[in-house]
Amino acid sequence: MEDAGVGWIAAIIIGGVAGWLAEQFMKSNLGLLMNIVLGIVGAIVANALLGLVGVSLGGWIGYLIAGFIGACILIAIGRMFRR
């Protein structure tokens, strides 16, 4: 997060927005805290996966996009384990 120029408070806010967007997109019913966690962890996961293929997202918008993609991936993985 420090490389992207996003601080901890901004990461929580952006993570919450990314998690909420993923929740709406994936039509799941999660709470605010889970949205924040999904957004932040999702951004870490997505940045790692995108780094493997040579894509680097930076800044607030990049963190939001990575958080959204990663949160969607985590929701899909969670659904696979529930079934």
Side-chain angles (χ1 to χ4, degrees):
M1 282 181 290
E2 287 77 21
D3 295 335
V6 178
W8 285 104
I9 294 174
I12 292 170
I13 294 168
I14 296 169
V17 172
W20 178 79
L21 288 171
E23 177 187 49
Q24 299 300 311
F25 182 74
M26 299 292 286
K27 294 180 177 43
S28 62
N29 188 15
L30 304 170
L32 176 65
L33 182 61
M34 193 57 150
N35 286 343
I36 293 170
V37 170
L38 277 174
I40 293 172
V41 174
I44 294 167
V45 168
N47 277 327
L49 292 175
L50 291 172
L52 292 175
V53 295
V55 177
S56 176
L57 299 174
W60 291 54
I61 299 297
Y63 191 78
L64 180 65
I65 293 168
F68 172 75
I69 293 169
C72 287
I73 291 170
L74 292 175
I75 290 171
I77 290 172
R79 285 182 179 169
M80 286 181 356
F81 282 114
R82 280 192 218 140
R83 293 182 183 165

